[in-house]
Amino acid sequence: MIKNVHGNTVDHLGEAIVAGRYAVGASIPPEPVLCQELGVSRTVVREAVKSLIAKGLMTTGPKVGTRVLSEDHWNWFDPDVIIWQSKAGLTPEFLRDLQDLRRVVEPAAMRLAAERATAQDIAEVEAAYAGMKHAVEEGGDYVTHDLRFHQGLLRASRNRMLVQMSKALGALLRTSFEISTRRKDGPAHSLPLHRAVLDAVIAHQPDEAERAIRVLIDGAKEDIEEVLASRRRLPILSSPARQLKAA
């Protein structure tokens, strides 16, 4: 998607903050400087700053002006923040926090999905699984179908909070999936683990669904640790998902 002037300005400033080019507690350059540097109006700069304040990257107030906040304040469920972090460099700490979050949220969600999933829910997840299988066997976009698989199961929990979280978790989950697919035969190995989760949901077996998703998440953790240990380049999430080659 092509961003407008506002979106590009938010990206420019957000990436600079996340990459540490503006120190925590410091002010960003004054409006006239940013206007000249970016070729935009003062209105665009002001609106971009409002967006960054809403994302927790900056704060403003009387006498102190506009200041950069530490990462503890950032909204880590905001897709833009995740993308900026991936450009700055995904740290081991960030990736391990993500795995911890998955272990907290997804097992509970799978229990609910096994109890509540409708025929339509299951059909959507089946379609996502079929896309994953096709990508492994014939080549194609595995990551996008993997993301749809997990988000579909979160929606199948029929819990409005988890459904909303599935949207927020999108960029976070894609981070995990992009890295997992970097491991040789990672997608092919994880495919039957995904099938086990889906089969347990279809059979309305909450205990088995929870166990199966834990096995899947633990496998993803091993994949991520292996990629981190190899020091291979980590993905940039603003780029298209990596395509698998035909088997």
Side-chain angles (χ1 to χ4, degrees), residues 33-201:
V33 173
L34 288 175
C35 290
Q36 185 172 9
E37 179 183 337
L38 302 177
V40 298
S41 68
R42 289 196 174 199
T43 300
V44 170
V45 170
R46 287 170 186 167
E47 290 302 314
V49 167
K50 287 181 182 177
S51 294
L52 293 170
I53 290 171
K55 294 175 188 291
L57 273 67
M58 305 177 70
T59 187
T60 188
K63 297 185 180 179
V64 299
T66 303
R67 303 282 179 179
V68 174
L69 293 173
S70 68
E71 63 181 33
D72 292 342
H73 295 87
W74 301 350
N75 179 5
W76 288 107
F77 289 109
D78 188 300
D80 286 338
V81 176
I82 305 305
I83 290 171
W84 297 334
Q85 181 65 67
S86 82
K87 287 184 176 181
L90 295 170
T91 65
E93 293 77 16
F94 171 84
L95 294 171
R96 286 163 186 150
D97 282 350
L98 168 56
Q99 290 307 107
D100 287 345
L101 179 65
R102 291 191 65 190
R103 283 188 64 86
V104 169
V105 173
E106 289 190 83
M110 292 311 102
R111 292 191 67 87
L112 293 175
E115 295 169 355
R116 302 174 177 176
T118 66
Q120 182 179 348
D121 293 330
I122 291 171
E124 290 176 358
V125 181
E126 283 278 19
Y129 177 81
M132 295 164 64
K133 189 171 186 288
H134 183 272
V136 168
E137 297 174 349
E138 307 294 336
D141 185 352
Y142 180 90
V143 169
T144 296
H145 292 296
D146 196 359
L147 182 57
R148 288 173 181 164
F149 179 94
H150 287 266
Q151 289 184 315
L153 286 173
L154 286 171
R155 287 193 297 273
S157 71
R158 294 284 153 180
N159 178 290
R160 286 175 294 182
M161 305 298 181
L162 286 171
V163 170
Q164 191 65 37
M165 185 173 281
S166 77
K167 301 174 184 178
L169 282 174
L172 289 167
L173 288 172
R174 186 185 163 194
T175 302
S176 176
F177 303 156
E178 284 276 8
I179 294 170
S180 294
T181 58
R182 292 302 198 268
R183 187 174 184 180
K184 180 176 172 56
D185 297 326
H189 175 72
S190 72
L191 200 58
L193 304 182
H194 284 81
R195 187 72 241 180
V197 175
L198 180 52
D199 285 345
V201 170

